[in-house]
Amino acid sequence: MTQNQASEQPQVLQPLTTPEEVDQFLRDYPLAAVFKAGTCHKTMQGFGVLETFLQKHELPVGYIRVVDWRPASNHVAEMTGLVHHSPQLILFKDGQAQYEVNNWDITPEALGPVFAAQVPPRSGAGGVATDDNVEPYRRLMRAYLDGGLSEWAFQDQYVTLFRDDASLRSQREFDLLSRLFGDPDAYHGGLHQLGAPQERGDLRARVQALLNELGS
């Protein structure tokens, strides 16, 4: 174990699958947050923003997969009186909701003042274990580079995969994965609005560069 690994403090990132687990989590951690995860890339982006603050601040986080753990999600809404959203971040102190932010409003500008005022800094570097499985993206990129997919087929499949990805990823991973085609919400009228795959530059070169950064 290196000196950096020894000083790194693991992040509390706990699944909350039932109402009872929600209550126990909030009893165990007087200052904590609950993150409700949805079913699309908004969750990935919102958690990525949160992850950057968790690296420098001491805040246990419980997360709820809303579709899978609906009773836990409903319990949070009932106990706080807050309208459900996903993604949704709620800061608790002594079991009481202090702050909430939802959807695209989960931004550095929104979280910065809250963390500065209410969340203590870490004494060492924080290690946030996220859902860092990028293999589906790697497989898709390899298939394109090996000639198994046309440019148009690759573009459609990649954007669909990214749009439906609700993984709890780091900000770095989100930034890397979104680099090829940008925010799919910009194409809400249909993927045909993306335009030609080469419009953003040499697609093959950009895919190879991304694959290298993700680790092929």
Side-chain angles (χ1 to χ4, degrees):
M1 179 181 294
T2 67
Q3 184 175 355
N4 287 341
Q5 288 174 323
S7 62
E8 188 174 90
Q9 301 172 343
Q11 168 67 38
V12 174
L13 186 61
Q14 182 173 321
L16 305 176
T17 66
T18 66
E20 293 76 18
E21 289 181 355
V22 171
D23 292 341
Q24 187 62 55
F25 174 76
L26 295 177
R27 284 194 295 268
D28 290 343
Y29 301 103
L31 181 65
V34 170
F35 183 85
K36 290 189 180 185
T39 59
C40 73
H41 66 288
K42 285 194 297 183
T43 285
M44 178 170 48
Q45 181 169 8
F47 187 84
V49 173
L50 173 61
E51 181 262 346
T52 63
F53 286 89
L54 296 178
Q55 291 183 20
K56 298 180 180 179
H57 292 81
E58 189 70 47
L59 183 68
V61 175
Y63 67 92
I64 299 173
R65 293 285 184 189
V66 173
V67 172
D68 298 324
W69 309 327
R70 184 75 63 181
S73 175
N74 291 342
H75 181 61
V76 170
E78 291 166 3
M79 68 185 290
T80 62
L82 297 173
V83 175
H84 162 74
H85 293 271
S86 61
Q88 181 175 49
L89 177 66
I90 306 172
L91 179 67
F92 286 86
K93 184 175 182 181
D94 297 326
Q96 301 298 312
Q98 305 294 308
Y99 172 80
E100 70 153 333
V101 63
N102 311 305
N103 298 305
W104 296 124
D105 292 331
I106 304 175
T107 63
E109 293 75 18
L111 296 190
V114 176
F115 272 76
Q118 301 191 48
V119 183
R122 287 184 178 274
S123 57
V128 184
T130 57
D131 296 344
D132 57 351
N133 178 19
V134 294
E135 188 56 30
Y137 293 93
R138 291 193 189 103
R139 285 198 299 267
L140 197 57
M141 288 187 281
R142 292 190 199 106
Y144 164 65
L145 293 172
D146 292 343
L149 289 173
S150 69
E151 292 176 350
W152 285 97
F154 170 74
Q155 177 175 268
D156 287 353
Q157 291 184 37
Y158 187 98
V159 172
T160 299
L161 176 64
F162 181 83
R163 183 181 58 193
D164 296 339
D165 189 349
S167 302
L168 303 185
R169 297 190 182 279
S170 68
Q171 185 66 53
R172 176 184 178 274
E173 278 193 356
F174 176 83
D175 289 342
L176 286 174
L177 295 174
S178 64
R179 194 167 66 189
L180 281 184
F181 301 111
D183 180 4
D185 275 0
Y187 319 116
H188 58 83
L191 295 185
H192 64 279
Q193 293 181 326
L194 276 164
Q198 296 286 0
E199 285 185 0
R200 295 169 180 80
D202 185 340
L203 181 62
R204 178 170 291 274
R206 292 190 299 117
V207 170
Q208 185 63 67
L210 176 56
L211 187 60
N212 292 343
E213 287 197 62
L214 291 174
S216 57

